[in-house]
Amino acid sequence: MKERLTRLARSVRPPDRYQVVQSLKAAGAAAVAWAVTGWWLEAPMALMAPWAAVALVQGTVYRSLRSAVQLFLMIAAGTLMAAGAALLTGNTMTALLIALPPAVLLGNWARAGGQGLYAPTTALFVLAYGSYSLPAVGHRLLETAVGAAVGVAVNALVLPPVHSQHVNKLAYALPRDCARLLGELSDGIREGYDEERAERWYRSAGDMLGALAELRTARGWASESFRLNPGHRLRRRTPAPSDAWDVLWARVGDRLLTLTLTLWEAASERRGLPRPPTGALAGLSKFLSAAAEVCAVEQEVMEHGPDEERRGRRDAQLADAHRAFMGVKEYLHGSDSDADASLGSLLAACRALLDDLTPEKEEGGRRTAAG
């Protein structure tokens, strides 16, 4: 039990700066909304204002504005449904049975995202408090409008969230993770590997494709965070790599997935695919080691910019990888057709990986220029 709790504690990440800032902003917005409606306007149900304010301190200013409209419409609908049913029936239970089904249906059917829940919950609040007269309904809508305005204003004017740094962090991690995995493959092939180790390599290659999906999601958040953001020009913005960067490393990830799958199947006793010859594996280890160095240089170039020293190191490692690849090709067309099949699959993935990592020739340009 103690070991399980220890592992759980290690897996739980502490909140980052963004989460702390947004939480403090939400609490501050709720306090301001409560003060405006409860103390200044002396509203009878000031709860609605801080409730709306907390809900609208969201991940982007654009999302706060869009959600404000959705939230106000849902709360207005829930309030009017509950008040109308109560005035018609004069009984709370009967009014609940009448108002709640359409309120829930509206929340699920309308394109309101997470704000759809506010239609039925508001109806429940109205009926539970028994405040459904015309002045009470008017106060409820006013309090909601004040809370929405405060939440949006706080999110837009107090450290408005910008997510470009997260994009850079994920993008720069791609060549680093590729270099790490290629290095592990090179060491494992040189030292000798078993099925369990090869399976771990394959799962690591799969995780890289998951990281690419996370990067695409982060790009969407970054683009949205600059829409309608009044403070984005005041925030430091580091240019993110272009979309071509994602395409390149998606291809590299596919090559690694093919390589690791072939190595895993060749190491499995349940498969009929034999391992390539020992000499071919030695050359493959050299190729993967050189490819790992190329990926490491790519990360340096993206973080610090290209220079002659980095270009020289990259070109030297690419030349080493090409020589190693040509050496491995000599073992093809041996006496064992099954071994040729596994080696051919590895060579095809290596050839494609070498092409992906080789910069374009024209204009001396690079395939992965920053956007």
Side-chain angles (χ1 to χ4, degrees):
M1 177 63 72
K2 184 178 180 180
E3 293 179 358
R4 185 181 301 175
L5 291 175
T6 302
R7 289 196 299 270
L8 179 62
R10 290 175 179 172
S11 64
V12 176
R13 296 180 179 179
D16 57 23
R17 179 180 177 274
Y18 163 75
Q19 292 170 324
V20 172
V21 169
Q22 289 298 101
S23 299
L24 292 175
K25 285 166 60 176
V32 172
W34 185 284
V36 171
T37 55
W39 293 349
W40 184 36
L41 298 178
E42 298 182 353
M45 194 175 177
L47 169 66
M48 302 298 293
W51 189 28
V54 168
L56 294 176
V57 179
Q58 300 204 358
T60 66
V61 175
Y62 169 78
R63 192 161 300 225
S64 290
L65 288 166
R66 186 185 66 184
S67 298
V69 175
Q70 295 170 339
L71 180 143
F72 183 81
L73 292 176
M74 291 298 103
I75 289 181
T79 300
L80 295 174
M81 286 180 187
L87 290 172
L88 285 174
T89 63
N91 180 274
T92 301
M93 178 58 71
T94 306
L96 186 144
L97 293 175
I98 293 174
L100 206 54
V104 173
L105 177 62
L106 176 64
N108 291 330
W109 172 76
R111 296 180 179 179
Q115 312 307 319
L117 182 64
Y118 288 97
T121 52
T122 302
L124 288 173
F125 273 128
V126 169
L127 294 173
Y129 275 83
S131 54
Y132 37 77
S133 64
L134 186 60
V137 170
H139 270 291
R140 191 114 334 106
L141 298 181
L142 175 62
E143 293 152 17
T144 302
V146 170
V150 170
V152 172
V154 168
N155 202 37
L157 301 178
V158 181
L159 296 177
V162 175
H163 299 279
S164 60
Q165 293 296 326
H166 188 49
V167 173
N168 291 336
K169 180 180 178 182
L170 292 172
Y172 296 160
L174 292 175
R176 181 195 64 210
D177 292 343
C178 286
R180 175 188 54 78
L181 181 55
L182 286 166
E184 291 178 4
L185 291 174
S186 175
D187 294 341
I189 291 173
R190 185 178 62 253
E191 299 165 358
Y193 67 96
D194 56 13
E195 181 181 357
E196 182 180 355
R197 192 173 185 182
E199 182 181 0
R200 289 200 301 269
W201 292 338
Y202 179 71
R203 295 188 185 280
S204 295
D207 291 341
M208 285 193 55
L209 298 181
L212 282 162
E214 186 179 356
L215 174 58
R216 285 192 290 270
T217 301
R219 283 191 183 278
W221 274 97
S223 176
E224 183 180 302
S225 69
F226 283 92
R227 295 177 65 181
L228 305 178
N229 189 332
H232 76 274
R233 297 183 184 278
L234 303 177
R235 305 285 296 276
R236 185 180 66 177
R237 183 182 183 186
T238 304
S242 69
D243 293 341
W245 177 262
D246 301 4
V247 174
L248 169 63
W249 293 102
R251 291 201 302 264
V252 172
D254 287 338
R255 315 309 180 202
L256 290 175
L257 204 62
T258 302
L259 281 168
T260 53
L261 179 59
T262 304
L263 291 170
W264 182 18
E265 291 182 333
S268 174
E269 297 179 356
R270 299 183 299 275
R271 300 282 187 175
L273 195 66
R275 297 193 186 202
T278 303
L281 288 176
L284 180 62
S285 175
K286 294 179 181 178
F287 171 86
L288 295 172
S289 177
E293 292 298 325
V294 174
C295 292
V297 174
E298 290 287 353
Q299 182 191 7
E300 294 179 21
V301 169
M302 287 308 302
E303 288 186 344
H304 308 292
D307 60 18
E308 290 302 321
E309 187 271 335
R310 294 188 181 98
R311 289 195 185 96
R313 279 195 292 133
R314 183 198 62 207
D315 293 343
Q317 293 298 333
L318 282 172
D320 289 345
H322 188 269
R323 283 192 294 270
F325 175 81
M326 297 305 295
V328 176
K329 280 185 66 176
E330 296 178 358
Y331 290 89
L332 202 58
H333 306 302
S335 57
D336 190 339
S337 59
D338 289 335
D340 281 351
S342 62
L343 182 58
S345 177
L346 292 171
L347 282 171
C350 289
R351 175 73 262 181
L353 178 62
L354 191 59
D355 290 341
D356 291 334
L357 295 178
T358 301
E360 296 177 352
K361 299 295 185 181
E362 60 269 16
E363 298 180 1
R366 293 180 41 75
R367 183 183 286 110
T368 55

